[in-house]
Every structure is written in C-alpha cells, then in structure tokens.
C-alpha cells in the first residue's frame, strides 16, 4: 500500500488491488503533468493558482474510487429496488480498472497554458490523451500488466469519446463510466471546482463533496444510463454544486484579466503559427511543429514529440522570441506576455447601448461572426493608431494592428443545462442527445432535477455570458475614450485626437 498526501483530499491511498495506478503515476508521460499548470495563466490574477494537472488527475482518480466504493456498498440495498440502477452499478463495478485508469489518465495529453494553446490550433486534448494511452510504451505496458491487452484500448475509447453519440446502445457499464467521467455531474468537475477554489483562495467553488458522493445514483432513463442523485438526499447538494460552478466561472475562469492574458497568449500562438507556415519562424522547436500542424496523434513519434511540450518549454519559447525574433508583432506579443501586461478588457453590454449583436460579414480569427459595434470600434481605433503611430507598434502593418492589437471576446457557459423544457430536436423524447441531471426515488423512478429544485429552475439553461473588447495594454486610455464616444452614440472626435468611424 502506497499513499500520496494531497492538500485537498488528505491521503490518496493506493491499495494492493489498485497498485497499477501508482505504476502509471511513475511513467514519464504522467510525470510530465507536474509541468502543466491546471489553471494556465490564472496565476496572473490569483498567485496561488500554481497547482498542476498532476495533482488534479490524482484527485479525479481518488474521487472515482470513492464513487465506486460507495456504489459497491449500496448494492445490497439496490437488489431490493431499482433493477435498472442495480444493472448499471454491477456493470460499472466490473470495469473498475478501466474506470480508475481513465480517471487518472484523462488529462495525460493536456497541453500547456490550459486551453489557450488548444484553442489556437483547435486540437482537443482528449484526442491526445487517447493517443498517449495507445502509443506510449510505458503507459501501455502498465495497463497490459494490470488488465491484459484489451485494457489500453478500453481506456483510450473512454478518453477520446467522453460524450458518446450512441450512448443508448452502449453496455451499461461503459455508458455509466462515461457519465461519471464527463457529464454535468462528474468526478472531473467535482475535483477541479473544489481544488481551484482552494488554491486560488476564492471560496465560490466550495460544496459538501462527501455528501454529493453519498447522494449519487445510477439509473436508466429512456434507455440511457444516467448519473443522478437520490431524491431525498441530493437536491440541496446539487444546488450547491451548480451554484459553485456558476460562481467559479464568473469570478475565476472568466476573470477579465485572466481572459486578457489568454487572448494575448492565443494571439501569440496564432502569429507564431502563421509565421511558421510561411517559413518566417525558423526556430526548430516542438511548439513550432505543433503550431504548424506537423504533429499527428496517430503517429507514435509525434506523440513523443508532443509530450515534450510543457509550460516551461512554452515560456522558454516566449523568452527567446521576445529577445531575438525579427518579427515586430511576435516580439511585442511575447514581451507583453513575459512582462505580465495582459490585454485590457472593456465590457460590452447587451442592452441599452449600441452593442447590438446582429451578425455582420467580418469574421473573428476563430471564425465566429463579429458584432457591428466591435467592427465600428476596431476601425475607429485603427484609424487613430495609424494617425498617431505609437512607438510600441513600430513596424506593424495595418492588417497586423487590426488582427493583433484588438480582439473581441465572447464567452458563454451554461452552469446547468436541461432539455426537459425543450424536448430534444423536432420534439423527440429525451435521449442520448439531451442533457439532464436526474433524481431517483426509492423505486428508481427518475425526474429531471429542474422539475424538483426551484433554484435550478431559475438557473436552468441560463447562460453566463460575457462580451468584451480587448486591446493591448498601452492602448487602454485611447480605447476607453473611443468606446465612451461610441456608447454615447456621439460623433467620434476627429482632428486633434478625434477619429472618424
């Protein structure tokens, strides 16, 4: 028996039957997660946010084991009621090794800088996690010793398809495992909410985790295995859980300064990628190969190269280009990121000002449509910058200022989704394509949580929406001046400090 002391869960113990997990922890692929921060650039705002994907992954495996143990304890009670729940629990417990390995390795392919790098190249980390399990020899050997030649592929399937489209046709154990690892009520969220709250010092993400686990239930609804909660015990803790998620997104994950740093990093990666594709970035680094699209998860040698990407290797790249790069745009973006000068955000309201969100032909770098008010602001800012010629943008061309000096950020997250009030597409009954958290009574009969909780009826399907315009830090005063003119719908200044939009 071996143990690791965790600041959140205290002792994480590897009993003899789960000893293979400690062998997975010892593999270089998993040890790499020591060098991947869980919250990316959030330490710009919350200095304590230095915890890693390594610690989070241990926590997720620990919680998965606690859930499995809880279900095992209640099997006797389930035999006297809820045959669907009993079937799902028994099938899940038969997949104990798959469940624990998938929980531990769910982030083994995660890239540096949280999701900023992932968003820049549109490469989901789930795909790379599955690729590591399939092609990394050390990981495969441990899994094969623990569960035979089939175990690596069983784990990889769970990791690459956390939300299976054909969930209604899956075996009960596999469907239950997917829901426990990736759903609205999963062990991944349970760990990162309380861990991120603890490490940032923000108290919004705290809830009664032991009671939530105690209240979990499995059942079959419309032919689909669903993770839910005991109706008598779980409604209040569900409310706490989803409110914690709401506040963590509002105050931590979507913090204005954190988003400004992430957008700056994303712009830096996008510029480096464009230069690399054109042959203008000759630095021979795994990061450049990744940005260029040269690394493919189906090639073991590329997976090995990808695993050399860490926060430290990206920061080394940033340090090098800020000092030696000939491209003034990339050098400026790198210098701002290195010196903690995130882009400045201006809140865009949805009602009561000119920020109406009708679609308009211009596209954002990510391909989304840009609102007219942002285009108006960007053009006004561009005209003024071309007139003033600030030294910090020396060497920047007009299209580069438009592309990298200003950005529009639209974020939407729904803390609790439930399609009970909009029964699927074309009026179809609830099924695999629909999102619910259910509560089960003593006979195993299910009801959507939204129907039982008055609080979640208010929160259901209500997006947390933030619209912001971001500019390079030194352009803050000018941006505020232009934005206030637009908000007042007045004629933009021209001539001495005025701009024509």
């Amino acid at each position: 028996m071996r143990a690791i002391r965790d600041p959140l869960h205290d002792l994480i113990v590897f009993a003899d039957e789960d000893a293979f997990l400690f062998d997975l922890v010892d593999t270089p692929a998993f040890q790499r997660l020591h060098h991947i921060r869980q919250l990316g650039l959030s330490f710009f705002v919350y200095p304590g946010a230095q915890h890693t994907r390594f610690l989070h992954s241990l926590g997720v495996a620990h919680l998965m084991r606690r859930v499995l143990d809880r279900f095992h304890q209640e099997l006797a009670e389930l035999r006297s009621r809820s045959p669907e729940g009993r079937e799902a629990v028994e099938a899940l417990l038969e997949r104990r090794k798959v469940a624990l390995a998938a929980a531990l390795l769910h982030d083994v392919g995660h890239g540096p800088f949280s999701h900023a790098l992932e968003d820049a190249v549109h490469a989901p980390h789930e795909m790379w996690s599955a690729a590591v399990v399939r092609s990394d020899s050390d990981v495969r050997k441990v899994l094969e010793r623990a569960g035979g030649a089939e175990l690596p592929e069983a784990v990889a399937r769970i990791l690459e398809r956390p939300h299976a489209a054909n969930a209604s046709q899956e075996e009960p154990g596999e469907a239950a495992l997917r829901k426990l690892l990736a759903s609205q009520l999963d062990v991944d969220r349970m760990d990162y909410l309380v861990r991120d709250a603890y490490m940032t010092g923000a108290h919004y993400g705290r809830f009664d985790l032991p009671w939530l686990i105690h209240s979990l239930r499995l059942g079959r609804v419309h032919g689909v295995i669903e993770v839910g909660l005991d109706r008598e015990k779980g409604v209040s803790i569900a409310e706490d859980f989803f409110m914690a998620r709401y506040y963590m997104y509002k105050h931590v994950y979507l913090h204005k300064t954190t988003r400004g740093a992430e957008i700056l990093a994303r712009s830096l990666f996008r510029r480096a990628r464009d230069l690399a594709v054109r042959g203008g970035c000759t630095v021979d680094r795994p990061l450049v190969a990744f940005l260029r699209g040269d690394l493919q998860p189906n090639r073991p040698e590329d997976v090995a190269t990808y695993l050399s990407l860490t926060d430290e290797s990206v920061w080394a790249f940033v340090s090098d280009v800020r000092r030696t790069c000939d491209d003034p745009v990339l050098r400026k973006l790198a210098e701002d990121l290195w010196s903690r000068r995130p882009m400045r955000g201006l809140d865009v309201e949805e009602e009561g000002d000119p920020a109406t969100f009708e679609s308009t032909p211009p596209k954002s770098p990510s391909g989304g449509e840009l609102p007219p008010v942002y285009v108006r602001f960007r053009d006004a800012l561009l005209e003024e910058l071309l007139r003033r010629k600030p030294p910090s943008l020396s060497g920047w061309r007009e299209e580069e200022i438009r592309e990298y000096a200003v950005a529009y950020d639209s974020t939407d997250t729904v803390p609790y989704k439930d399609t009970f009030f909009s029964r699927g597409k074309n009026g179809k009954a609830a099924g695999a394509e629909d999102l619910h958290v259910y509560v089960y009574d003593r006979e195993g009969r299910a009801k959507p949580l939204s129907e039982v909780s008055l609080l979640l009826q208010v929160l259901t399907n209500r997006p947390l929406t933030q619209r912001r315009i971001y500019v390079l830090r030194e352009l803050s005063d000018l941006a505020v001046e232009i934005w206030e003119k637009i908000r007042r719908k007045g004629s933009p200044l021209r001539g001495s400090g005025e701009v024509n939009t």
Side-chain angles (χ1 to χ4, degrees):
M1 183 178 294
R2 303 173 76 175
I4 294 176
R5 189 171 291 280
D6 175 46
L8 187 65
H9 302 306
D10 198 10
L11 285 180
I12 296 177
V13 179
F14 297 85
D16 292 341
E17 62 178 322
D18 302 325
F20 78 102
L21 294 176
F22 207 94
D23 295 332
L24 285 173
V25 169
D26 281 341
T27 61
F30 193 85
Q31 288 292 313
R32 164 185 171 270
L33 297 180
H34 276 303
H35 307 283
I36 306 289
R37 283 191 182 94
Q38 171 74 11
L39 288 182
L41 297 170
S42 289
F43 70 93
F44 274 27
V45 178
Y46 298 98
Q50 302 284 350
H51 54 302
T52 64
R53 296 271 167 187
F54 180 94
L55 198 52
H56 164 64
S57 297
L58 286 174
V60 174
H62 174 66
L63 293 184
M64 179 66 83
R65 183 173 52 194
R66 287 175 62 179
V67 169
L68 295 176
D69 291 345
R70 167 62 186 158
F71 285 154
H72 186 268
Q73 291 170 1
E74 71 165 2
L75 263 182
E77 183 182 356
L78 281 169
R79 288 195 178 94
S80 63
R81 61 179 174 88
S82 183
E84 294 88 358
R86 183 184 68 245
E87 176 194 25
V89 168
E90 289 177 340
L92 173 65
L93 294 178
E94 290 174 0
R95 289 168 170 78
R96 179 183 177 89
K97 288 185 177 179
V98 179
L100 293 176
L104 184 70
L105 299 174
H106 78 286
D107 271 350
V108 73
H110 212 293
F113 278 42
S114 192
H115 295 282
L117 181 60
E118 186 174 311
D119 292 344
V121 296
H122 309 293
H125 69 271
E126 293 89 351
M127 174 183 66
W128 285 100
S129 292
V132 171
V133 171
R134 287 191 173 108
S135 65
D136 184 87
S137 60
D138 294 318
V139 171
R140 282 190 64 88
K141 287 176 183 176
V142 173
L143 291 174
E144 288 173 353
R145 283 200 306 268
E150 299 80 14
L151 184 56
E153 184 58 28
V155 173
R157 283 201 314 271
I158 296 295
L159 298 184
E160 71 184 351
R161 294 190 301 121
H163 304 282
N166 60 340
S168 60
Q169 287 137 27
E170 286 186 318
E171 295 183 17
E174 187 164 359
L177 173 51
R178 290 188 194 282
K179 296 290 176 68
L180 282 173
L181 194 57
S183 68
Q184 293 196 96
L185 194 63
D186 60 47
V187 291
D188 183 21
R189 293 185 186 192
M190 291 178 200
D191 184 83
Y192 77 62
L193 285 175
V194 290
R195 188 176 300 280
D196 295 347
Y198 179 82
M199 298 304 292
T200 58
H203 296 279
Y204 313 107
R206 296 186 176 182
F207 55 90
D208 191 344
L209 178 57
W211 190 253
L212 179 62
I213 292 174
H214 179 74
S215 304
L216 285 177
R217 297 290 183 270
L218 289 176
R220 190 182 286 273
V221 185
H222 301 291
V224 180
I225 295 298
E226 297 286 357
V227 175
L229 294 160
D230 184 283
R231 182 167 179 173
E232 296 177 2
K233 302 175 182 178
V235 175
S236 295
I237 187 58
E239 293 171 344
D240 284 350
F241 177 79
F242 288 110
M243 289 305 299
R245 187 169 187 266
Y246 175 85
Y247 285 121
M248 285 297 287
Y249 269 90
K250 183 176 179 65
H251 297 294
V252 178
Y253 305 136
L254 299 180
H255 190 284
K256 182 185 291 188
T257 303
T258 300
R259 288 297 295 167
E262 291 170 348
I263 292 168
L264 180 64
R266 194 173 61 200
S267 296
L268 185 152
F269 297 140
R270 197 171 69 246
R271 181 64 174 178
R273 179 196 62 203
D274 293 345
L275 290 174
V277 169
R278 300 200 308 260
C281 187
T282 58
V283 181
D284 184 17
R285 289 179 184 270
L287 176 62
V288 175
F290 178 66
L291 292 171
R292 202 165 45 216
D294 294 345
L295 303 184
Q296 299 299 321
N298 59 343
R299 296 198 294 252
E301 63 275 14
D302 287 355
V303 174
T305 301
Y306 175 82
L307 289 176
S308 68
L309 293 175
T310 64
D311 280 5
E312 289 95 333
S313 69
V314 175
W315 279 115
F317 175 81
V318 172
S319 178
D320 286 349
V321 298
R322 66 183 269 270
R323 293 180 293 104
T324 64
C325 184
D326 293 332
D327 179 69
V329 178
L330 186 59
R331 188 173 63 246
K332 161 68 174 167
L333 297 173
E335 180 59 43
D336 279 2
L337 188 62
W338 183 266
S339 302
R340 195 199 172 275
R341 290 198 293 266
M343 298 182 81
R344 165 76 183 276
L346 303 173
D347 288 316
V348 177
E349 299 173 9
E350 293 191 68
E351 299 177 358
D353 71 9
T356 55
F357 290 92
E358 305 156 359
S359 62
T360 190
K363 300 285 186 178
S364 69
S366 61
E369 292 182 336
L370 297 171
V373 69
Y374 169 72
V375 177
R376 185 181 177 194
F377 171 86
R378 183 195 63 191
D379 292 347
L381 180 67
L382 176 63
E383 183 175 344
E384 185 66 8
L385 291 175
L386 292 175
R387 188 184 68 81
R388 295 189 183 189
K389 296 181 173 58
S392 63
L393 301 183
S394 177
W396 288 46
R397 296 192 298 271
E398 180 177 339
E399 62 271 20
E400 293 166 348
I401 297 175
R402 182 184 291 108
E403 182 77 9
Y404 297 106
V406 59
Y408 172 66
D409 183 43
S410 172
T411 55
D412 293 281
T413 186
V414 180
Y416 179 62
K417 299 177 184 178
D418 195 324
T419 52
F420 175 74
F421 299 106
S422 56
R423 288 280 192 173
K425 299 176 183 177
N426 303 319
K428 291 165 63 177
E433 69 182 10
D434 296 295
L435 289 166
H436 304 268
V437 170
Y438 289 96
V439 291
Y440 299 103
D441 64 17
R442 291 192 59 80
E443 284 71 43
R445 292 173 299 202
K447 277 196 173 183
L449 180 60
S450 303
E451 196 179 54
V452 178
S453 167
L454 293 176
L455 176 61
L456 288 179
Q457 284 181 21
V458 176
L459 192 63
T460 294
N461 300 331
R462 185 167 300 225
L464 173 59
T465 301
Q466 294 182 342
R467 309 277 187 252
R468 293 183 182 128
I469 292 171
Y470 281 90
V471 298
L472 294 176
R473 175 65 53 169
E474 68 270 21
L475 306 180
S476 297
D477 292 342
L478 176 61
V480 170
E481 177 185 340
I482 293 173
W483 180 241
E484 287 303 316
K485 289 291 180 182
I486 292 176
R487 283 173 59 90
R488 292 196 300 268
K489 302 182 183 180
S491 300
L493 296 172
R494 188 168 178 80
S496 58
E498 301 193 6
V499 194
N500 183 13
T501 59

PDB file of all heavy atoms in Angstrom, residues 8-29:
ATOM      1  N   LEU A   8      -5.964  18.756  -0.681  1.00  0.00           N
ATOM      2  CA  LEU A   8      -7.418  18.801  -0.732  1.00  0.00           C
ATOM      3  C   LEU A   8      -8.056  17.560  -0.119  1.00  0.00           C
ATOM      4  O   LEU A   8      -8.959  17.648   0.726  1.00  0.00           O
ATOM      5  CB  LEU A   8      -7.870  18.947  -2.187  1.00  0.00           C
ATOM      6  CG  LEU A   8      -9.361  19.173  -2.417  1.00  0.00           C
ATOM      7  CD1 LEU A   8      -9.790  20.509  -1.841  1.00  0.00           C
ATOM      8  CD2 LEU A   8      -9.677  19.115  -3.905  1.00  0.00           C
ATOM      9  N   HIS A   9      -7.610  16.392  -0.541  1.00  0.00           N
ATOM     10  CA  HIS A   9      -8.241  15.133  -0.121  1.00  0.00           C
ATOM     11  C   HIS A   9      -7.475  14.427   0.992  1.00  0.00           C
ATOM     12  O   HIS A   9      -7.820  13.299   1.340  1.00  0.00           O
ATOM     13  CB  HIS A   9      -8.362  14.185  -1.311  1.00  0.00           C
ATOM     14  CG  HIS A   9      -9.136  14.747  -2.462  1.00  0.00           C
ATOM     15  ND1 HIS A   9     -10.414  15.247  -2.333  1.00  0.00           N
ATOM     16  CD2 HIS A   9      -8.804  14.909  -3.781  1.00  0.00           C
ATOM     17  CE1 HIS A   9     -10.840  15.675  -3.511  1.00  0.00           C
ATOM     18  NE2 HIS A   9      -9.895  15.478  -4.399  1.00  0.00           N
ATOM     19  N   ASP A  10      -6.440  15.052   1.519  1.00  0.00           N
ATOM     20  CA  ASP A  10      -5.597  14.459   2.560  1.00  0.00           C
ATOM     21  C   ASP A  10      -4.819  13.284   1.972  1.00  0.00           C
ATOM     22  O   ASP A  10      -4.024  13.476   1.072  1.00  0.00           O
ATOM     23  CB  ASP A  10      -6.419  14.058   3.774  1.00  0.00           C
ATOM     24  CG  ASP A  10      -5.547  13.846   5.011  1.00  0.00           C
ATOM     25  OD1 ASP A  10      -4.347  14.189   4.947  1.00  0.00           O
ATOM     26  OD2 ASP A  10      -6.042  13.338   6.022  1.00  0.00           O
ATOM     27  N   LEU A  11      -5.057  12.057   2.408  1.00  0.00           N
ATOM     28  CA  LEU A  11      -4.297  10.918   1.903  1.00  0.00           C
ATOM     29  C   LEU A  11      -5.007  10.277   0.707  1.00  0.00           C
ATOM     30  O   LEU A  11      -6.193   9.930   0.794  1.00  0.00           O
ATOM     31  CB  LEU A  11      -4.099   9.872   2.990  1.00  0.00           C
ATOM     32  CG  LEU A  11      -3.064  10.189   4.071  1.00  0.00           C
ATOM     33  CD1 LEU A  11      -3.008   9.042   5.074  1.00  0.00           C
ATOM     34  CD2 LEU A  11      -1.694  10.423   3.458  1.00  0.00           C
ATOM     35  N   ILE A  12      -4.270  10.134  -0.391  1.00  0.00           N
ATOM     36  CA  ILE A  12      -4.736   9.356  -1.529  1.00  0.00           C
ATOM     37  C   ILE A  12      -3.972   8.043  -1.481  1.00  0.00           C
ATOM     38  O   ILE A  12      -2.754   8.002  -1.704  1.00  0.00           O
ATOM     39  CB  ILE A  12      -4.491  10.092  -2.854  1.00  0.00           C
ATOM     40  CG1 ILE A  12      -5.320  11.380  -2.891  1.00  0.00           C
ATOM     41  CG2 ILE A  12      -4.840   9.210  -4.047  1.00  0.00           C
ATOM     42  CD1 ILE A  12      -5.101  12.217  -4.141  1.00  0.00           C
ATOM     43  N   VAL A  13      -4.687   6.973  -1.152  1.00  0.00           N
ATOM     44  CA  VAL A  13      -4.046   5.683  -0.880  1.00  0.00           C
ATOM     45  C   VAL A  13      -4.227   4.748  -2.063  1.00  0.00           C
ATOM     46  O   VAL A  13      -5.318   4.635  -2.633  1.00  0.00           O
ATOM     47  CB  VAL A  13      -4.633   5.042   0.396  1.00  0.00           C
ATOM     48  CG1 VAL A  13      -3.997   3.694   0.665  1.00  0.00           C
ATOM     49  CG2 VAL A  13      -4.441   5.980   1.592  1.00  0.00           C
ATOM     50  N   PHE A  14      -3.152   4.080  -2.432  1.00  0.00           N
ATOM     51  CA  PHE A  14      -3.181   3.069  -3.486  1.00  0.00           C
ATOM     52  C   PHE A  14      -3.134   1.694  -2.817  1.00  0.00           C
ATOM     53  O   PHE A  14      -2.068   1.228  -2.405  1.00  0.00           O
ATOM     54  CB  PHE A  14      -1.998   3.241  -4.434  1.00  0.00           C
ATOM     55  CG  PHE A  14      -2.011   4.545  -5.182  1.00  0.00           C
ATOM     56  CD1 PHE A  14      -1.475   5.691  -4.611  1.00  0.00           C
ATOM     57  CD2 PHE A  14      -2.563   4.632  -6.446  1.00  0.00           C
ATOM     58  CE1 PHE A  14      -1.490   6.899  -5.283  1.00  0.00           C
ATOM     59  CE2 PHE A  14      -2.579   5.838  -7.135  1.00  0.00           C
ATOM     60  CZ  PHE A  14      -2.054   6.968  -6.554  1.00  0.00           C
ATOM     61  N   ALA A  15      -4.319   1.086  -2.671  1.00  0.00           N
ATOM     62  CA  ALA A  15      -4.380  -0.243  -2.076  1.00  0.00           C
ATOM     63  C   ALA A  15      -3.813  -1.272  -3.046  1.00  0.00           C
ATOM     64  O   ALA A  15      -3.565  -0.984  -4.228  1.00  0.00           O
ATOM     65  CB  ALA A  15      -5.819  -0.583  -1.710  1.00  0.00           C
ATOM     66  N   ASP A  16      -3.624  -2.500  -2.575  1.00  0.00           N
ATOM     67  CA  ASP A  16      -2.979  -3.522  -3.396  1.00  0.00           C
ATOM     68  C   ASP A  16      -3.712  -3.763  -4.706  1.00  0.00           C
ATOM     69  O   ASP A  16      -3.100  -3.922  -5.760  1.00  0.00           O
ATOM     70  CB  ASP A  16      -2.877  -4.825  -2.606  1.00  0.00           C
ATOM     71  CG  ASP A  16      -1.908  -4.712  -1.427  1.00  0.00           C
ATOM     72  OD1 ASP A  16      -1.085  -3.771  -1.455  1.00  0.00           O
ATOM     73  OD2 ASP A  16      -1.989  -5.537  -0.507  1.00  0.00           O
ATOM     74  N   GLU A  17      -5.057  -3.784  -4.681  1.00  0.00           N
ATOM     75  CA  GLU A  17      -5.804  -4.058  -5.904  1.00  0.00           C
ATOM     76  C   GLU A  17      -5.689  -2.928  -6.914  1.00  0.00           C
ATOM     77  O   GLU A  17      -5.961  -3.130  -8.108  1.00  0.00           O
ATOM     78  CB  GLU A  17      -7.283  -4.300  -5.575  1.00  0.00           C
ATOM     79  CG  GLU A  17      -7.970  -3.100  -4.948  1.00  0.00           C
ATOM     80  CD  GLU A  17      -9.444  -3.368  -4.683  1.00  0.00           C
ATOM     81  OE1 GLU A  17     -10.081  -4.047  -5.526  1.00  0.00           O
ATOM     82  OE2 GLU A  17      -9.960  -2.926  -3.647  1.00  0.00           O
ATOM     83  N   ASP A  18      -5.310  -1.734  -6.468  1.00  0.00           N
ATOM     84  CA  ASP A  18      -5.166  -0.588  -7.360  1.00  0.00           C
ATOM     85  C   ASP A  18      -3.712  -0.157  -7.504  1.00  0.00           C
ATOM     86  O   ASP A  18      -3.434   0.974  -7.918  1.00  0.00           O
ATOM     87  CB  ASP A  18      -5.990   0.598  -6.830  1.00  0.00           C
ATOM     88  CG  ASP A  18      -7.457   0.253  -6.684  1.00  0.00           C
ATOM     89  OD1 ASP A  18      -7.957  -0.530  -7.517  1.00  0.00           O
ATOM     90  OD2 ASP A  18      -8.096   0.764  -5.738  1.00  0.00           O
ATOM     91  N   ALA A  19      -2.781  -1.049  -7.179  1.00  0.00           N
ATOM     92  CA  ALA A  19      -1.355  -0.681  -7.203  1.00  0.00           C
ATOM     93  C   ALA A  19      -0.887  -0.284  -8.595  1.00  0.00           C
ATOM     94  O   ALA A  19       0.073   0.492  -8.729  1.00  0.00           O
ATOM     95  CB  ALA A  19      -0.517  -1.847  -6.678  1.00  0.00           C
ATOM     96  N   PHE A  20      -1.557  -0.765  -9.645  1.00  0.00           N
ATOM     97  CA  PHE A  20      -1.133  -0.414 -11.002  1.00  0.00           C
ATOM     98  C   PHE A  20      -1.262   1.087 -11.250  1.00  0.00           C
ATOM     99  O   PHE A  20      -0.567   1.638 -12.108  1.00  0.00           O
ATOM    100  CB  PHE A  20      -1.935  -1.208 -12.031  1.00  0.00           C
ATOM    101  CG  PHE A  20      -3.322  -0.683 -12.286  1.00  0.00           C
ATOM    102  CD1 PHE A  20      -3.597   0.072 -13.417  1.00  0.00           C
ATOM    103  CD2 PHE A  20      -4.362  -0.956 -11.406  1.00  0.00           C
ATOM    104  CE1 PHE A  20      -4.874   0.545 -13.662  1.00  0.00           C
ATOM    105  CE2 PHE A  20      -5.639  -0.492 -11.644  1.00  0.00           C
ATOM    106  CZ  PHE A  20      -5.905   0.268 -12.779  1.00  0.00           C
ATOM    107  N   LEU A  21      -2.146   1.756 -10.510  1.00  0.00           N
ATOM    108  CA  LEU A  21      -2.275   3.201 -10.665  1.00  0.00           C
ATOM    109  C   LEU A  21      -0.990   3.914 -10.282  1.00  0.00           C
ATOM    110  O   LEU A  21      -0.583   4.895 -10.925  1.00  0.00           O
ATOM    111  CB  LEU A  21      -3.435   3.722  -9.808  1.00  0.00           C
ATOM    112  CG  LEU A  21      -4.839   3.272 -10.208  1.00  0.00           C
ATOM    113  CD1 LEU A  21      -5.863   3.804  -9.209  1.00  0.00           C
ATOM    114  CD2 LEU A  21      -5.175   3.727 -11.616  1.00  0.00           C
ATOM    115  N   PHE A  22      -0.343   3.432  -9.225  1.00  0.00           N
ATOM    116  CA  PHE A  22       0.916   4.061  -8.827  1.00  0.00           C
ATOM    117  C   PHE A  22       1.988   3.823  -9.887  1.00  0.00           C
ATOM    118  O   PHE A  22       2.846   4.678 -10.125  1.00  0.00           O
ATOM    119  CB  PHE A  22       1.378   3.531  -7.470  1.00  0.00           C
ATOM    120  CG  PHE A  22       2.229   4.515  -6.714  1.00  0.00           C
ATOM    121  CD1 PHE A  22       1.664   5.371  -5.797  1.00  0.00           C
ATOM    122  CD2 PHE A  22       3.598   4.601  -6.951  1.00  0.00           C
ATOM    123  CE1 PHE A  22       2.447   6.293  -5.108  1.00  0.00           C
ATOM    124  CE2 PHE A  22       4.378   5.514  -6.272  1.00  0.00           C
ATOM    125  CZ  PHE A  22       3.797   6.372  -5.347  1.00  0.00           C
ATOM    126  N   ASP A  23       1.937   2.676 -10.545  1.00  0.00           N
ATOM    127  CA  ASP A  23       2.867   2.428 -11.651  1.00  0.00           C
ATOM    128  C   ASP A  23       2.607   3.385 -12.806  1.00  0.00           C
ATOM    129  O   ASP A  23       3.543   3.851 -13.469  1.00  0.00           O
ATOM    130  CB  ASP A  23       2.746   0.982 -12.133  1.00  0.00           C
ATOM    131  CG  ASP A  23       3.185  -0.023 -11.070  1.00  0.00           C
ATOM    132  OD1 ASP A  23       4.031   0.340 -10.228  1.00  0.00           O
ATOM    133  OD2 ASP A  23       2.675  -1.161 -11.085  1.00  0.00           O
ATOM    134  N   LEU A  24       1.332   3.697 -13.066  1.00  0.00           N
ATOM    135  CA  LEU A  24       1.015   4.693 -14.095  1.00  0.00           C
ATOM    136  C   LEU A  24       1.532   6.075 -13.698  1.00  0.00           C
ATOM    137  O   LEU A  24       2.033   6.833 -14.541  1.00  0.00           O
ATOM    138  CB  LEU A  24      -0.495   4.756 -14.318  1.00  0.00           C
ATOM    139  CG  LEU A  24      -1.139   3.610 -15.089  1.00  0.00           C
ATOM    140  CD1 LEU A  24      -2.658   3.749 -15.074  1.00  0.00           C
ATOM    141  CD2 LEU A  24      -0.627   3.564 -16.527  1.00  0.00           C
ATOM    142  N   VAL A  25       1.405   6.403 -12.417  1.00  0.00           N
ATOM    143  CA  VAL A  25       1.902   7.691 -11.932  1.00  0.00           C
ATOM    144  C   VAL A  25       3.404   7.824 -12.175  1.00  0.00           C
ATOM    145  O   VAL A  25       3.911   8.907 -12.478  1.00  0.00           O
ATOM    146  CB  VAL A  25       1.571   7.859 -10.433  1.00  0.00           C
ATOM    147  CG1 VAL A  25       2.313   9.053  -9.831  1.00  0.00           C
ATOM    148  CG2 VAL A  25       0.070   8.016 -10.238  1.00  0.00           C
ATOM    149  N   ASP A  26       4.127   6.721 -12.080  1.00  0.00           N
ATOM    150  CA  ASP A  26       5.576   6.743 -12.255  1.00  0.00           C
ATOM    151  C   ASP A  26       6.027   6.836 -13.709  1.00  0.00           C
ATOM    152  O   ASP A  26       7.217   7.019 -13.973  1.00  0.00           O
ATOM    153  CB  ASP A  26       6.200   5.486 -11.631  1.00  0.00           C
ATOM    154  CG  ASP A  26       6.325   5.608 -10.121  1.00  0.00           C
ATOM    155  OD1 ASP A  26       6.284   6.753  -9.612  1.00  0.00           O
ATOM    156  OD2 ASP A  26       6.464   4.571  -9.445  1.00  0.00           O
ATOM    157  N   THR A  27       5.125   6.716 -14.663  1.00  0.00           N
ATOM    158  CA  THR A  27       5.540   6.793 -16.069  1.00  0.00           C
ATOM    159  C   THR A  27       5.918   8.227 -16.427  1.00  0.00           C
ATOM    160  O   THR A  27       5.344   9.182 -15.890  1.00  0.00           O
ATOM    161  CB  THR A  27       4.421   6.327 -17.008  1.00  0.00           C
ATOM    162  OG1 THR A  27       3.273   7.182 -16.843  1.00  0.00           O
ATOM    163  CG2 THR A  27       4.030   4.883 -16.729  1.00  0.00           C
ATOM    164  N   PRO A  28       6.884   8.418 -17.336  1.00  0.00           N
ATOM    165  CA  PRO A  28       7.260   9.784 -17.749  1.00  0.00           C
ATOM    166  C   PRO A  28       6.088  10.585 -18.304  1.00  0.00           C
ATOM    167  O   PRO A  28       6.011  11.799 -18.081  1.00  0.00           O
ATOM    168  CB  PRO A  28       8.331   9.538 -18.814  1.00  0.00           C
ATOM    169  CG  PRO A  28       8.929   8.216 -18.462  1.00  0.00           C
ATOM    170  CD  PRO A  28       7.785   7.401 -17.923  1.00  0.00           C
ATOM    171  N   ALA A  29       5.172   9.933 -19.023  1.00  0.00           N
ATOM    172  CA  ALA A  29       4.038  10.665 -19.590  1.00  0.00           C
ATOM    173  C   ALA A  29       3.185  11.301 -18.497  1.00  0.00           C
ATOM    174  O   ALA A  29       2.725  12.447 -18.635  1.00  0.00           O
ATOM    175  CB  ALA A  29       3.180   9.724 -20.448  1.00  0.00           C
TER     176      ALA A  29
END
